[in-house]
Amino acid sequence: MNRIHQHIQRISGVLDRWVERVCVVLMGILVLTVWIGILSRYVLPWNLTFTEELARYLMIWTALLAVSIGICRRQHVGMLVIFERLPRLVSKALALIFDVIAFTFFSFLFYYGIGHVSEGLSQVTMIYGMPKGYPYLIIPLASALACIQLLLAMLRDLLAERPTTAIEHT
Amino acid sequence: ETTMRIAHLNPPEPTESHSGAMTAVFKQLVETASSGEIQVEIYPSGQLGEDSDAINQVRQGVVESSISSAGGIAEHYPPIGVFDMPFAFPNIGIATEVISLDSEFGQTLADDIHAETGLKVMGLLDSGGFFQFTNSQRPLTSPEDMEGLQIRTMTLPTHEAMINALGAEATPLAWSEVYTALETGVADGQMNPIQQTAFANFDEVQDYLTISNHVITPYVWVVNEDFYNGLSDEHQEIVDWASDIAVDAGRSMSRIIEASDEGLPQLAENMEVNTLSDEARQAFQDAAQPAVREVIEDRYGEKGTELLNAMMEAIEEANE
Amino acid sequence: MVLVAVTFFVLLLLGMPVGLVLGVAGLTGLIDMGGEQFLTMAPGRFFSGLNLFAFLAMPFFILAGEIMNRSGMTLSLVNFAQALVGWLRGGMAHSNMLASVLFAGLTGSATADAAAFGNTFVPAMKKAGYRGDYACAVTAAGSIIGPIIPPSTLAIIYGSLMGVSIAGLFAAGIIPGLLLCLVCMCLIAATARRLKLPKDDSRPNLAHILKEFRGSLLALILPVFILGSILLGFTTPTEAAALAVFYALFVGGVIYRNISWKDLYEMLARTVLICGIIFLIIASASILGWWMTFNQIPQLIADGFLSISETPAIVLGMIIALLLFIGLFMDINAALIILAPVLTPLTISIGMDPVHAGMIIILALTISLMTPPVGACLFVLASVTGERIESITRYLWPFILVELGVLFLTAYWEPVSLFIPRLFGLAG
Ligand code: NA
Ligand code: NA
């Protein structure tokens, strides 16, 4: 049991760190994009007009990818008044139910998100005429990551010697 | 009993926007003519989502109908961008004649939108008059006056190309930022129809209004095809004539708003207004048209070029 | 409708994360409506709920706050505030409120303010011996001054949505904004002894104040820098948040030289995580918000209220109650977009000035930003600081009460909002 638990812990951790790295890079690019957008109006000799739209998409990508980080670390905000006063076993079961519901929610977003992407491929954004499906890709991608991390977190908490609550931080 | 939901972007009151007028008239006509068998529900102010989203919802059959701007349609049917050809329409009379389902060009456009997106076009009208320039620096009397001005545009290559070709600098900003940007000077000016400029209170932060009549874009009223086909012949007929009347009401409301306290008179109170002379207009046109034509041909390909030529011909014909 | 309400409240109260509760409740509503076409559009709502340029201010101010903390700029600010009012009992709570007003002149969004202060003032107050949850409560109460004192994103959205003078709305917010600060400071002073708020033994000392002023000069310049970049027309308010990051990074990295690459990575990582938590809530709320709009629930509620009375004073009271009630459960931007067109004609029909009415709507919705269960400022603070919503709430409700007092004063005594606009001829 213990070995499996460690294994799950490790997989979840590695995935989490890689997603975090990607997010940090995207966030860095986001900051630079807005800086360059400001500069291009005053300092640079050319006028860059795509920065507004690019910044929006970068922000959405970064934030939605980070949803899985929050899941892995159980950082999403909730109201724990009642939860923490429940008997250990009940709260553990409840945490499991929440994870199953969340898993269903993200599976749903994943499935219909793919449909949304393929629909988006026939639409174009204002800049460049890029198909809208590309930015929409984040929905199935982020949902899939969320599902994986939920599954790992669920197993991790089930196998843990000491049961943990669903949300450690509020 | 059938429910027909119509989403639009403008304020709900019939006297405050053309969409408000259209939906109010349409609802009244359809509900009475069908003895209440068709119920019309209106979702104004972009409540159900931004422009392109609302069209998506019509395509998916979540909402039955939407009255959409060219910007929203462009994401589903890019060639609509040919309307961004500056100084193409000489006056509102000709624009009204061409941007209509009653014109041959309008019908061609509607059929093509239908073929490409599966959306049936119920109505075609102008978005509320010509785009006009406002700015905080000087009255615009010749292209030289544009020199060095930062003009806010939508993130739209055709508009950017036009502004840059005129010697000013296009500054694309999100709509929510435009007011403060004009107030603080991030942008010197902007371009919008009179209604929109008055509605956003840009006269509080701009000093000069130039009646340039440079661009006029369409509003397209679309309906879900399956919904329309599912109506009985009798109901289809009601919806058809009611939408025609409603579009007429919408067009008239645009002209009324422009002329009312909420339109040009309000702007004229706070801004110096000038109209481009014919020579100046020609100079603007010569400077701007080639650059925009290039963008249109480049972005929308053969189809766009064809549509553009058809539009220019239709204008020519109407002009004669 | 009942199904969605039950799903929402049961899951929320049992402790499921809010971002998921909103999404699941919205999804339940879509499924309940029947028909796959409703399901296919949920991902679109999820995406476009975030697709707003103005939201960018949030990650940037969170990041700027992170950098200011790590570089010691925050600490220097805190020391200066301490030197100014630290000799009072609860001095830092007072300076938090004062700083909120200063900051309100820079940003238009309460959540951005909450993020920045949660990241700067709350840790500093904890260090000085305040309870973290109390510090959060003060910060939440102060953060809502942000959208009241101009510039204000909400005023811009409302003004352009309803065709009301934005300059008028800006001017109308000045007195109510200052009043919010005043009543909160009175509350802090009145309860300082009972709550045993920290107080140092120092006496006010001019030499000390000057020394701390010099020490915090670089941090004090930040608001000037941001405000300057906006007022001089160099950036828009949203872009100014990105400049704040630049400034903080410049001071920390080049002048103080105490930020390493590793620090930078960690700060970015924390910012990203906080954004993930907040943006999940916004995205999910937009699914539920769409379901509510489609079923015309806000209108149903409004109609219900209005069947009760048509006396202006009572209608106004009910409008406020409705705004506060809807604000309990709904994202503020969604609530504004849905309710403004319903309520504004109503306020006109009872003879209210549109600027006055707009100010009340904005003020009421903003107060709901810090009320549980769905209070975005509260969520932001909780996720930035790690404090618990319930314990923050315990210290927050007195602040909510006095701020409601300001709301009612503004609502029933016109000059509070209209005095300044009238001075400039911006209201009738
Ligand atoms: Na503000
Ligand atoms: Na709330």
Side-chain angles (χ1 to χ4, degrees):
Chain A
M1 278 301 255
N2 216 352
R3 282 226 356 240
I4 302 174
H5 183 233
Q6 281 174 356
H7 237 73
I8 292 170
Q9 197 77 291
R10 217 183 50 235
I11 298 172
S12 167
V14 169
L15 185 63
D16 179 58
R17 267 195 305 283
W18 273 104
V19 174
E20 183 184 272
R21 277 174 203 156
V22 173
C23 284
V24 164
V25 171
L26 287 178
M27 182 75 199
I29 299 175
L30 170 59
V31 174
L32 288 176
T33 304
V34 178
W35 286 354
I36 291 172
I38 300 171
L39 277 184
S40 82
R41 282 210 300 272
Y42 301 99
V43 186
L44 305 181
W46 62 90
N47 215 8
L48 299 175
T49 53
F50 60 86
T51 52
E52 190 258 8
E53 189 162 340
L54 182 62
R56 260 186 294 126
Y57 291 144
L58 278 169
M59 166 181 80
I60 296 172
W61 272 68
T62 313
L64 289 186
L65 281 178
V67 167
S68 73
I69 302 178
I71 288 172
C72 168
R73 302 180 196 171
R74 296 286 195 200
Q75 290 270 335
H76 284 283
V77 183
M79 304 218 307
L80 295 186
V81 199
I82 298 174
F83 186 89
E84 293 197 337
R85 283 164 184 72
L86 295 172
R88 260 281 193 246
L89 213 61
V90 178
S91 66
K92 206 177 164 183
L94 205 52
L96 186 68
I97 293 172
F98 289 161
D99 283 345
V100 173
I101 295 176
F103 187 85
T104 316
F105 176 69
F106 284 114
S107 314
F108 164 87
L109 273 186
F110 174 75
Y111 178 79
Y112 286 102
I114 289 178
H116 194 60
V117 169
S118 56
E119 246 169 55
L121 289 175
S122 68
Q123 298 164 29
V124 292
T125 64
M126 293 289 203
I127 49 159
Y128 299 138
M130 171 177 76
K132 267 199 146 175
Y134 295 161
Y136 288 163
L137 267 175
I138 188 60
I139 305 170
L141 187 60
S143 306
L145 275 171
C147 281
I148 295 171
Q149 286 290 17
L150 268 168
L151 211 58
L152 292 170
M154 232 185 303
L155 290 172
R156 190 181 69 196
D157 289 358
L158 269 181
L159 295 173
E161 280 167 25
R162 283 182 26 202
T164 56
T165 55
I167 312 135
E168 284 162 352
H169 300 263
T170 55
Chain B
E1 188 178 294
T2 317
T3 304
M4 179 171 178
R5 300 176 188 80
I6 308 176
H8 70 86
L9 302 164
N10 303 110
E13 290 298 303
T15 52
E16 276 182 357
S17 69
H18 51 15
S19 306
M22 276 190 272
T23 46
V25 168
F26 182 76
K27 178 180 168 73
Q28 191 267 118
L29 291 176
V30 168
E31 288 184 354
T32 49
S34 69
S35 311
E37 283 170 21
I38 304 177
Q39 288 292 314
V40 177
E41 276 177 26
I42 304 163
Y43 294 84
S45 310
Q47 287 177 359
L48 290 180
E50 281 309 309
D51 215 359
S52 158
D53 284 346
I55 299 170
N56 242 341
Q57 291 170 24
V58 177
R59 288 178 88 165
Q60 288 167 342
V62 172
V63 179
E64 285 72 26
S65 176
S66 112
I67 303 174
S68 300
S69 74
I73 294 284
E75 302 197 357
H76 301 262
Y77 180 76
I80 197 88
V82 299
F83 282 94
D84 291 328
M85 187 63 164
F87 304 99
F89 293 89
N91 59 54
I92 189 72
I94 287 170
T96 301
E97 204 178 319
V98 175
I99 308 175
S100 159
L101 286 186
D102 294 334
S103 82
E104 207 188 308
F105 168 74
Q107 201 54 57
T108 315
L109 177 69
D111 291 344
D112 200 40
I113 291 176
H114 188 191
E116 294 285 324
T117 63
L119 292 165
K120 184 179 155 50
V121 177
M122 283 171 72
L124 187 63
L125 73 165
D126 66 276
S127 76
F130 280 102
F131 276 59
Q132 321 289 6
F133 288 112
T134 68
N135 80 93
S136 56
Q137 301 298 316
R138 51 189 168 258
L140 306 176
T141 56
S142 70
E144 286 73 49
D145 291 326
M146 297 288 284
E147 205 65 47
L149 290 182
Q150 304 258 8
I151 303 285
R152 181 269 171 182
T153 64
M154 291 179 262
T155 314
L156 210 57
T158 41
H159 286 192
E160 287 161 22
M162 166 173 51
I163 294 298
N164 294 335
L166 288 170
E169 262 185 77
T171 306
L173 292 170
W175 173 249
S176 62
E177 309 239 285
V178 180
Y179 183 91
T180 28
L182 294 173
E183 185 177 33
T184 59
V186 166
D188 301 310
Q190 58 95 33
M191 52 191 230
N192 260 305
I194 283 177
Q195 281 186 44
Q196 190 78 3
T197 301
F199 190 69
N201 296 302
F202 289 154
D203 53 320
E204 291 172 359
V205 290
Q206 296 271 272
D207 301 318
Y208 302 98
L209 168 67
T210 303
I211 304 297
S212 49
N213 289 347
H214 56 285
V215 165
I216 189 160
T217 62
Y219 249 48
V220 186
W221 185 354
V222 294
V223 64
N224 179 284
E225 194 179 14
D226 293 338
F227 168 78
Y228 182 84
N229 292 340
L231 293 174
S232 68
D233 288 350
E234 190 194 341
H235 282 172
Q236 278 184 1
E237 203 175 304
I238 294 174
V239 166
D240 285 347
W241 62 255
S243 60
D244 285 348
I245 303 292
V247 167
D248 283 345
R251 262 195 212 107
S252 307
M253 189 51 68
S254 282
R255 304 294 89 77
I256 294 169
I257 294 171
E258 277 164 9
S260 78
D261 287 352
E262 312 284 305
L264 192 55
Q266 179 203 320
L267 298 183
E269 239 173 68
N270 297 322
M271 290 191 285
E272 190 185 318
V273 182
N274 74 302
T275 303
L276 283 188
S277 68
D278 287 346
E279 302 83 64
R281 194 181 149 87
Q282 191 62 49
F284 270 83
Q285 178 177 333
D286 293 343
Q289 275 196 353
V292 177
R293 177 174 277 275
E294 197 178 314
V295 175
I296 289 175
E297 287 176 356
D298 182 48
R299 270 176 73 92
Y300 310 129
E302 214 166 287
K303 177 160 216 167
T305 314
E306 236 168 69
L307 196 63
L308 176 61
N309 293 337
M311 182 179 88
M312 299 306 270
E313 268 165 41
I315 295 168
E316 195 102 330
E317 264 169 44
N319 213 354
E320 273 156 16
Chain C
M1 211 170 128
V2 177
L3 181 67
V4 176
V6 170
T7 310
F8 177 82
F9 284 110
V10 168
L11 291 180
L12 187 75
L13 292 177
L14 286 181
M16 191 171 184
V18 186
L20 292 166
V21 174
L22 288 163
V24 171
L27 196 53
T28 311
L30 294 182
I31 293 171
D32 189 42
M33 277 157 67
E36 203 184 13
Q37 73 271 27
F38 295 112
L39 302 182
T40 51
M41 55 156 304
R45 298 316 305 158
F46 194 74
F47 187 93
S48 46
L50 301 176
N51 202 0
L52 203 65
F53 187 73
F55 283 154
L56 270 172
M58 242 185 297
F60 288 149
F61 276 119
I62 294 172
L63 181 57
E66 288 285 331
I67 300 169
M68 287 177 71
N69 287 344
R70 190 94 39 144
S71 66
M73 284 165 83
T74 312
L75 194 66
S76 70
L77 259 186
V78 169
N79 289 341
F80 176 54
Q82 278 295 85
L84 272 180
V85 281
W87 49 277
L88 285 169
R89 189 173 286 282
M92 279 191 71
H94 285 296
S95 54
N96 186 331
M97 292 305 305
L98 274 183
S100 295
V101 172
L102 291 178
F103 215 68
L106 311 179
T107 68
S109 134
T111 37
D113 289 12
F117 275 45
N119 234 351
T120 51
F121 254 96
V122 173
M125 285 175 76
K126 275 163 87 172
K127 216 176 225 171
Y130 288 78
R131 292 178 57 105
D133 40 18
Y134 180 77
C136 283
V138 173
T139 306
S143 69
I144 70 153
I145 299 173
I148 305 303
I149 288 182
S152 157
T153 326
L154 284 178
I156 292 171
I157 295 176
Y158 182 85
S160 43
L161 209 64
M162 301 314 302
V164 176
S165 162
I166 295 168
L169 289 171
F170 278 6
I174 296 173
I175 296 179
L178 294 176
L179 275 178
L180 285 176
C181 172
L182 187 71
V183 294
C184 287
M185 286 178 74
C186 290
L187 178 70
I188 293 167
T191 54
R193 194 166 293 278
R194 195 172 54 77
L195 293 175
K196 299 194 181 68
L197 297 184
K199 165 183 187 312
D200 43 25
D201 315 322
S202 62
R203 300 221 122 299
N205 172 338
L206 189 63
H208 181 56
I209 291 176
L210 280 178
K211 179 176 156 280
E212 294 298 349
F213 175 72
R214 266 199 309 278
S216 64
L217 204 55
L218 281 174
L220 283 172
I221 288 175
L222 178 66
V224 181
F225 180 79
I226 298 176
L227 198 60
S229 76
I230 297 174
L231 292 183
L232 294 176
F234 190 64
T235 66
T236 68
T238 306
E239 290 169 343
L243 275 199
V245 172
F246 178 81
Y247 180 84
L249 209 54
F250 181 79
V251 171
V254 179
I255 299 179
Y256 290 168
R257 289 171 181 270
N258 55 6
I259 291 180
S260 65
W261 287 106
K262 188 165 160 287
D263 289 335
L264 190 61
Y265 179 89
E266 279 168 14
M267 293 183 297
L268 284 167
R270 245 182 77 81
T271 305
V272 161
L273 172 63
I274 295 168
C275 286
I277 296 168
I278 298 169
F279 281 52
L280 175 65
I281 294 171
I282 300 175
S284 293
S286 68
I287 298 181
L288 183 63
W290 187 90
W291 175 84
M292 287 176 75
T293 313
F294 190 84
N295 290 290
Q296 307 198 314
I297 289 170
Q299 282 94 323
L300 282 179
I301 298 171
D303 291 348
F305 272 48
L306 288 172
S307 61
I308 300 170
S309 168
E310 283 174 10
T311 318
I314 297 176
V315 172
L316 181 56
M318 289 193 299
I319 288 174
I320 292 172
L322 174 66
L323 285 162
L324 292 172
F325 181 74
I326 297 275
L328 287 179
F329 312 110
M330 221 169 161
D331 171 66
I332 187 164
N333 292 305
L336 189 67
I337 290 167
I338 293 163
L339 286 177
V342 179
L343 295 182
T344 307
L346 240 143
T347 60
I348 292 169
S349 73
I350 59 170
M352 285 177 74
D353 183 277
V355 171
H356 182 206
M359 195 62 237
I360 295 168
I361 292 174
I362 293 168
L363 192 54
L365 283 177
T366 309
I367 289 177
S368 81
L369 272 175
M370 59 163 194
T371 53
V374 181
C377 283
L378 215 51
F379 296 149
V380 169
L381 273 170
S383 48
V384 169
T385 63
E387 294 294 332
R388 306 166 48 98
I389 291 177
E390 308 85 75
S391 54
I392 300 174
T393 308
R394 219 173 63 221
Y395 291 101
L396 187 59
W397 70 260
F399 287 103
I400 296 179
L401 281 184
V402 295
E403 294 192 333
L404 283 178
V406 174
L407 169 64
F408 281 103
L409 185 69
T410 311
Y412 287 102
W413 196 37
E414 225 183 42
V416 174
S417 58
L418 291 188
F419 178 71
I420 295 182
R422 277 178 181 151
L423 221 52
F424 294 96
L426 293 166

